[in-house]
Amino acid sequence: PVYAVPNDIDFYKTVIAGFPSGDKRMIFIQMEALTGWPAKDEWDFEHIGMSNHPFIKANYPHHEGIWGWGDAADQVVMMVRNIRRSMVEYHDILWDIGYAKTWADASLFLDSLYSERPPISDFLAWRDERVLDEAHWYGWFIDYYMEGGLLRDIFTHKTTTKEHWDMLMMPTVYTRAELDYD
């Protein structure tokens, strides 16, 4: 694709949303190949700045994502992959970036992405600690887009407040008890 995107073209911009794993890559590579225009990550919009990229790769509302594109997008294409494969690949990406918690830390490991497979023992430890909560995140992620951005609690599925929603976006800051909503 042409990586320098001119600002004078009025693109109908597309968010390519998916649970954190490599699934979105399949879509945005095809879109780039068909159009000749590149995709940009949601975090890059937030930390590097806004641009006129026609395709926005997003994990939002998963806690690995961020609404970094403001109101620049016009439509959403959502990739829904087999949950089992998504969980394995999500862990593998986390392992590749050293389980980074910030964009700055993760960007230090970008050259390590998809370079080797983690030990099975690392996956099993992560699975035992995280996979049940991540399964809730997976279903909640799909619900968010299918319900037009309705703010719901991850665990109870009740509609929630903006304040509670913002807490859900930072699960490493709050305990599970602090995230309980009723």
Side-chain angles (χ1 to χ4, degrees):
V2 176
Y3 290 102
V5 180
N7 288 322
D8 60 344
I9 299 174
D10 187 19
F11 290 114
Y12 195 76
K13 296 187 177 108
T14 302
V15 171
I16 303 166
F19 193 81
S21 65
D23 51 3
K24 295 168 297 301
R25 181 172 307 277
M26 179 172 36
I27 293 174
F28 81 72
I29 287 174
Q30 290 176 11
M31 291 175 134
E32 288 177 340
L34 289 169
T35 65
W37 296 109
K40 185 174 178 181
D41 190 88
E42 64 197 331
W43 286 96
D44 292 341
F45 277 94
E46 178 73 15
H47 292 282
I48 296 173
M50 294 300 287
S51 64
N52 196 31
H53 283 71
F55 309 116
I56 304 162
K57 181 179 79 64
N59 295 319
Y60 187 87
H62 190 276
H63 58 86
E64 299 291 351
I66 187 170
W67 190 284
W69 61 90
D71 63 356
D74 300 298
Q75 66 183 349
V76 175
V77 171
M78 183 172 60
M79 173 66 167
V80 179
R81 190 173 184 193
N82 177 300
I83 187 173
R84 187 174 76 182
R85 187 67 211 134
S86 288
M87 291 299 161
V88 171
E89 193 159 336
Y90 172 43
H91 168 264
D92 291 355
I93 292 169
L94 288 175
W95 185 85
D96 288 344
I97 61 171
Y99 302 97
K101 301 279 188 228
T102 68
W103 178 83
D105 291 343
S107 54
L108 297 174
F109 294 95
L110 291 181
D111 290 339
S112 300
L113 278 174
Y114 308 108
S115 61
E116 61 182 287
R117 301 206 39 87
I120 189 70
S121 59
D122 288 8
F123 170 74
L124 294 174
W126 178 85
R127 179 202 65 188
D128 293 347
E129 180 182 333
R130 295 284 315 148
V131 83
L132 290 179
D133 284 346
E134 291 299 337
H136 282 284
W137 280 94
Y138 186 86
W140 175 81
F141 178 91
I142 294 168
D143 289 346
Y144 174 81
Y145 283 104
M146 296 304 292
E147 296 177 330
L150 185 64
L151 306 183
R152 287 191 180 276
D153 179 73
I154 297 164
F155 303 105
T156 67
H157 304 285
K158 295 178 183 176
T159 56
T160 190
T161 64
K162 176 72 169 116
E163 178 183 36
H164 183 247
W165 178 266
D166 291 342
M167 290 173 66
L168 293 170
M169 296 294 101
M170 299 182 298
T172 59
V173 174
Y174 299 98
T175 65
R176 176 76 183 267
E178 290 172 315
L179 291 175
D180 279 347
Y181 180 76
D182 198 356

